[in-house]
Amino acid sequence: MAIKTPITIAYGDGIGPEIMQATLAILSAANALIEPEVIEIGEKIYRQGFTCGIPDDAWQTLKRTKVLLKGPITTPQGGGYKSLNVTLRKTLSLFANVRPCISYAPYVTTNFPDINLVIVRENEEDTYSGIEHRQTDEVYQCLKLITRPGCERIIHYAFEYAQKFNRKKVTCLSKDNIMKMTDGLFHRLFNEIAAEYPDIEHDHMIVDIGTALIAAQPQRFDVIVTLNLYGDIISDVAAQVAGSVGLAGSANIGAHMAMFEAIHGSAPDIAGKNIANPSGLLNAAIQMLVHINQPETAALIENAWLKTLEDGIHTGDIYSSQSKQKVGTQAFAAAVIERLGQKPTHFKPVVYQPGSYAKIECYDAPLATPSKKELIGIDIFIDNPNNIPAEQLAKTLAPLSEKLQLIVITSRGLKIWPNSSIEAPFLRHCCCRFQSSADTKQLKQIQHEDILQLLSKINTLGLDVIKTENLYTFDGELGFTLAQGQ
Ligand code: NAD
């Protein structure tokens, strides 16, 4: 007897149970070799006091099966509840979010009949680390953390994906014209890694023009790789222009675990009415079958689903003049089951070669040779509610240390001392940069002790230091940006 792959199933909230029932019925009729193990997560579990929406025993099931097919979850508002999706992605280290985005014209209304792109979004880093602070009455900050291994892993994954799925081009989106260090690292590594895949074209766009082009000319994209926040935004733009928000599935892939789900939410407005479209979850399940190396079953189901669309059998959300019959959730599933074994005639039938798509090997970056890291200064952020002018601050602070010179005072990254021509600087949040030398070529290493002495003196002056950031050089290169106007 063929061995079945254990799969964790979470029905989810709202329309989750009905679309999961429809999806599992199709998988079962297609003889998918899976052994479902059901866990309860989501709204009910939140209400029981689990702030992340998942009970302890569910983790055990997940860690055993390593694959989760998940219905949408309703995150209760307020009350300190954490997004279950973010918790799952981070706890299970699901570093790649893979969202194919395809138009199904003329059966699904879209202005762009030729979209067939895949967004590979970094899933664990960026501003989504959720490290935020309120520093003063008026100022809040969110930390954007980008790691070299994180970038390398997602970029490698995008190229490996392109290679396995016979894609021709990978486009990188970043904002490195502004964020030269974080996004700059991503872009630089993209260029380096692209060179390892000479058969795949590559290009880079600044994310703003890239997003505009996804909205205006989505057919020009193939695989897109990008950072977490940009990926989140462009995924919805792409799904919207393809008209496939209710149809698209997504995969969250880690080195050892994977989670598959529809891109839409729990749609509480239509829950329990048997009218929801199960296609998003079904497409996620198809991605899952490819991932667990059951490509023939994946193709069997996808072709039957495409044929159902072509035959005009549609749920209410995509019902149009091209439709022939409006059906509910379970009747749609029955129509797909009836067509198992049939091929679409308008759409190109899908073929997944056996064996060739099994889990993409996840790149594990070797430890880079450590650079020579030298402490050469410090940025000291001050809450300055009384608007002490920068000139006066400089006069007070400059003589405090023999080892550290006050180089520049900035506000929100803009130089306000020395020689500032800013008419009305925002003084209530300033950053005083101290370095071992004003000349960046003459920087000498200092000790943490030097910084502590300086901070102690500033403290005695009654100034409120709200944050410090050490300044380092790495193999002599500055590990920080210069202020605007510096
Ligand atoms: P939503 O995607 O649930 O609904 C938006 C609109 O699309 C609604 O009108 C809904 O009826 C419709 N819709 C969604 N899926 C459909 C389907 N399969 N068939 C037919 N119509 C469909 O987005 P929302 O209303 O912003 O969010 C509702 C809840 O879902 C919120 O609690 C949100 O936090 C949650 N959510 C969960 C996930 C997830 O679990 N991955 C993702 C997004 C939103």
Side-chain angles (χ1 to χ4, degrees):
M1 214 172 79
I3 296 172
K4 293 186 172 180
T5 304
I7 298 292
T8 302
I9 299 287
Y11 279 80
D13 302 319
I15 57 171
E18 46 204 297
I19 58 173
M20 185 62 83
Q21 188 192 336
T23 299
L24 291 179
I26 297 168
L27 294 187
S28 166
N31 292 323
L33 294 172
I34 60 166
E35 188 73 59
E37 294 188 29
V38 176
I39 57 168
E40 179 111 51
I41 56 177
E43 211 174 4
K44 197 169 135 198
I45 304 298
Y46 279 116
R47 304 278 181 222
Q48 285 172 13
F50 292 89
T51 53
C52 291
I54 177 163
D56 298 339
D57 53 345
W59 289 114
Q60 304 312 320
T61 313
L62 279 175
K63 284 183 180 152
R64 186 159 27 78
T65 64
K66 304 194 184 327
V67 180
L68 169 64
L69 181 63
K70 173 180 155 294
I73 300 293
T74 302
T75 312
Q77 297 294 309
Y81 298 113
K82 298 269 184 200
S83 157
L84 175 58
N85 263 9
V86 175
T87 303
L88 285 168
R89 285 172 193 163
K90 298 192 80 166
T91 312
L92 304 177
S93 194
L94 306 175
F95 69 89
N97 187 311
V98 183
R99 271 199 193 186
C101 183
I102 300 166
S103 46
Y104 299 101
Y107 307 100
V108 178
T109 310
T110 168
N111 292 329
F112 304 99
D114 303 318
I115 305 176
N116 187 347
L117 63 87
V118 179
I119 295 167
V120 177
R121 161 188 167 197
E122 199 291 315
N123 223 8
E124 292 184 285
E125 306 195 337
D126 201 343
T127 46
Y128 284 55
S129 301
I131 306 172
E132 294 189 292
H133 298 93
R134 180 174 181 177
Q135 298 181 326
T136 75
D137 250 351
E138 301 163 302
V139 178
Y140 299 73
Q141 85 165 9
C142 174
L143 267 191
K144 170 163 171 152
L145 286 180
I146 302 294
T147 69
R148 185 184 178 105
C151 296
E152 287 177 337
R153 213 155 48 151
I154 194 69
I155 296 165
H156 267 285
Y157 187 90
F159 279 98
E160 287 292 317
Y161 182 98
Q163 206 162 52
K164 284 222 168 186
F165 288 84
N166 208 15
R167 298 268 176 176
K168 306 285 176 259
K169 186 167 90 177
V170 180
T171 300
C172 170
L173 299 185
S174 80
K175 186 79 184 166
D176 65 334
N177 54 331
I178 302 295
M179 282 159 278
K180 296 184 175 13
M181 300 202 71
T182 48
D183 287 34
L185 174 71
F186 193 76
H187 186 179
R188 186 158 48 80
L189 291 171
F190 174 77
N191 287 344
E192 283 175 19
I193 293 166
E196 297 171 25
Y197 298 87
D199 297 339
I200 299 171
E201 278 177 63
H202 70 279
D203 61 1
H204 170 268
M205 287 180 195
I206 299 295
V207 65
D208 31 14
I209 186 63
T211 309
L213 287 173
I214 292 170
Q217 299 167 18
Q219 66 283 359
R220 63 189 278 167
F221 293 93
D222 194 347
V223 175
I224 298 173
V225 65
T226 190
L227 295 165
N228 204 342
L229 176 62
Y230 312 141
D232 196 359
I233 296 165
I234 62 163
S235 296
D236 277 16
V237 173
Q240 193 67 40
V241 294
S244 63
V245 176
L247 306 184
S250 78
N252 291 269
I253 306 284
H256 309 290
M257 314 270 303
M259 170 173 94
F260 301 86
E261 63 179 344
I263 68 168
H264 60 72
S266 56
D269 51 334
I270 56 165
K273 296 184 177 158
N274 189 33
I275 56 173
N277 190 340
S279 299
L281 188 59
L282 183 64
N283 276 314
I286 291 168
Q287 280 181 281
M288 177 190 80
L289 289 171
V290 171
H291 178 79
I292 60 174
N293 201 14
Q294 297 185 26
E296 286 155 325
T297 317
L300 180 77
I301 296 175
E302 194 167 335
N303 284 328
W305 176 73
L306 289 170
K307 183 75 169 74
T308 310
L309 281 190
E310 280 183 10
D311 287 349
I313 300 175
H314 296 165
T315 44
D317 56 310
I318 58 165
Y319 195 79
S320 71
S321 57
Q322 296 291 327
S323 310
K324 297 215 170 66
Q325 192 187 348
K326 192 193 258 184
V327 289
T329 313
Q330 307 313 325
F332 182 81
V336 175
I337 290 169
E338 240 174 68
R339 287 164 179 75
L340 286 169
Q342 295 182 32
K343 298 264 166 64
T345 49
H346 173 85
F347 296 117
K348 196 167 165 229
V350 177
V351 182
Y352 297 115
Q353 299 298 337
S356 61
Y357 302 99
K359 195 166 154 245
I360 294 172
E361 277 314 310
C362 296
Y363 176 80
D364 202 0
L367 270 184
T369 327
S371 359
K372 187 172 176 220
K373 177 183 172 192
E374 291 188 309
L375 181 64
I376 57 85
I378 183 163
D379 277 347
I380 298 175
F381 292 78
I382 288 174
D383 185 358
N384 182 23
N386 298 324
N387 283 312
I388 303 171
E391 278 295 334
Q392 193 179 324
L393 271 180
K395 253 192 211 143
T396 318
L397 295 175
L400 293 183
S401 170
E402 282 170 14
K403 301 259 180 70
L404 287 158
Q405 292 180 39
L406 179 66
I407 304 296
V408 63
I409 302 179
T410 56
S411 173
R412 295 176 297 176
L414 185 66
K415 183 178 85 169
I416 56 173
W417 177 92
N419 310 323
S420 166
S421 50
I422 311 301
E423 281 200 11
F426 180 76
L427 290 170
R428 295 190 293 280
H429 182 274
C430 21
C431 173
C432 306
R433 173 164 289 180
F434 290 84
Q435 289 176 191
S436 56
S437 165
D439 181 350
T440 50
K441 296 203 174 58
Q442 304 288 324
L443 290 166
K444 290 185 298 292
Q445 184 160 16
I446 54 154
Q447 303 303 315
H448 285 276
E449 190 58 34
D450 302 322
I451 288 176
L452 292 176
Q453 280 173 12
L454 172 61
L455 285 172
S456 169
K457 286 182 185 166
I458 294 178
N459 187 44
T460 56
L461 294 173
L463 291 171
D464 181 10
V465 173
I466 47 175
K467 170 193 163 81
T468 63
E469 199 75 52
N470 290 350
L471 304 178
Y472 293 99
T473 54
F474 294 81
D475 290 337
E477 267 187 41
L478 301 187
F480 49 92
T481 50
L482 299 183
Q484 278 168 304
Q486 191 179 347

